[in-house]
Amino acid sequence: MHKAMTSILWWGGLVAAPLVLAGMELFHPAGFTNAPGMYAYLCTAQPFAPQHWALAYFGPHWWFTLHVIQLPLLGLVSVGLWLAMDGIETGAAAVFAWLSRIATFFFLIGYTALDSIGGVGLGRTMLNMEALNAAGKLDARQMEGAALLLDTNWVDPWIGGVGSVASLLGSWAVFASALCAAVALLLVRRAPWPALVLLVGFGWEIQVSHASPHGPLGFALLAVAATWIRLAGASRAPAIAPAAVAA
């Protein structure tokens, strides 16, 4: 039962969830903070524009939905990253394994905070503003004031969507998690080094941004790395088993 559950969580958290995220992040725009401004861009649907990278943006309903789906998927990724360190409990590898686990914990906290505030909360606020404006309960001047507040929150040093404590905590934590996990797996010779390079690449890309284009690339790298590591481990198992029995 434990083996089956471990396999399900591995494939679900490190392959399936990242692939879904990679596809979704193709429609997560970037580079709109300064021009035209966060609210001006996100409050309405947008066509593809090279400077914003997303294939398309479907409006505030999509911003809300994207981040609602993203939250549990990132939770699954965190479970998968933690699971990747399973059984590494001795020597220098154990130190890096625990550093990876700690970083994964902070990644989960940081991204949960970031997505809750700048994703789910922001999306619902924009939708509620639209509804109140349509009902005549917010006039144009009040809408401008509300938009100013949202734009201010977006660049807030603590909770903002870019460059804030919440944002940087999650971003650097996922890189640290991937890097330390790769070192731990290398030390115990549990994975081929090219797969570990891809794992570190995942961490770096998501550290830069989870929006397009870095998010799709990063999560795709994770899915490939995890598949490679899992299959490489399975192929080595028969060769290791006889020696273990003989011992």
Side-chain angles (χ1 to χ4, degrees):
M1 180 65 180
H2 173 73
K3 186 176 181 180
M5 183 57 66
T6 298
S7 182
I8 291 171
L9 290 175
W10 179 283
W11 291 107
L14 294 178
V15 179
L19 287 177
V20 174
L21 285 165
M24 290 175 53
E25 304 302 346
L26 290 170
F27 301 91
H28 189 311
F32 50 75
T33 300
N34 295 321
M38 183 279 294
Y39 182 77
Y41 183 90
L42 294 182
C43 71
T44 187
Q46 305 284 351
F48 170 76
Q51 67 270 31
H52 300 304
W53 292 101
L55 296 180
Y57 171 67
F58 309 117
H61 279 98
W62 168 243
W63 189 259
F64 169 73
T65 302
L66 166 68
H67 290 90
V68 166
I69 298 172
Q70 187 171 269
L71 271 171
L73 292 179
L74 290 174
L76 279 174
V77 170
S78 299
V79 170
L81 290 172
W82 189 285
L83 184 64
M85 298 294 94
D86 187 41
I88 305 178
E89 302 295 345
T90 59
V95 175
F96 284 99
W98 273 107
L99 288 174
S100 177
R101 293 180 183 113
I102 293 168
T104 297
F105 174 73
F106 282 105
F107 162 63
L108 182 59
I109 290 175
Y111 259 80
T112 298
L114 181 66
D115 276 15
S116 297
I117 298 168
V120 177
L122 174 60
R124 286 307 306 170
T125 301
M126 290 190 292
L127 291 171
N128 288 335
M129 286 171 61
E130 286 183 2
L132 290 170
N133 181 244
K137 296 180 179 180
L138 284 180
D139 59 28
R141 185 175 179 181
Q142 290 171 320
M143 288 288 288
E144 289 177 4
L148 176 60
L149 176 60
L150 292 182
D151 281 334
T152 301
N153 282 345
W154 183 254
V155 294
D156 182 87
W158 286 96
I159 63 169
V162 290
S164 67
V165 171
S167 175
L168 294 176
L169 173 64
S171 297
W172 283 106
V174 71
F175 176 63
S177 173
L179 178 62
C180 291
V183 173
L185 292 170
L186 181 66
L187 290 174
V188 296
R189 300 182 180 182
R190 191 184 287 181
W193 69 263
L196 300 179
V197 171
L198 297 182
L199 179 60
V200 175
F202 146 73
W204 178 256
E205 289 296 322
I206 302 304
Q207 180 277 133
V208 175
S209 175
H210 68 279
S212 190
H214 299 283
L217 176 58
F219 287 119
L221 287 175
L222 176 59
V224 173
T227 301
W228 195 342
I229 292 168
R230 191 70 172 178
L231 295 180
S235 67
R236 286 197 303 270
I240 295 173
V245 172

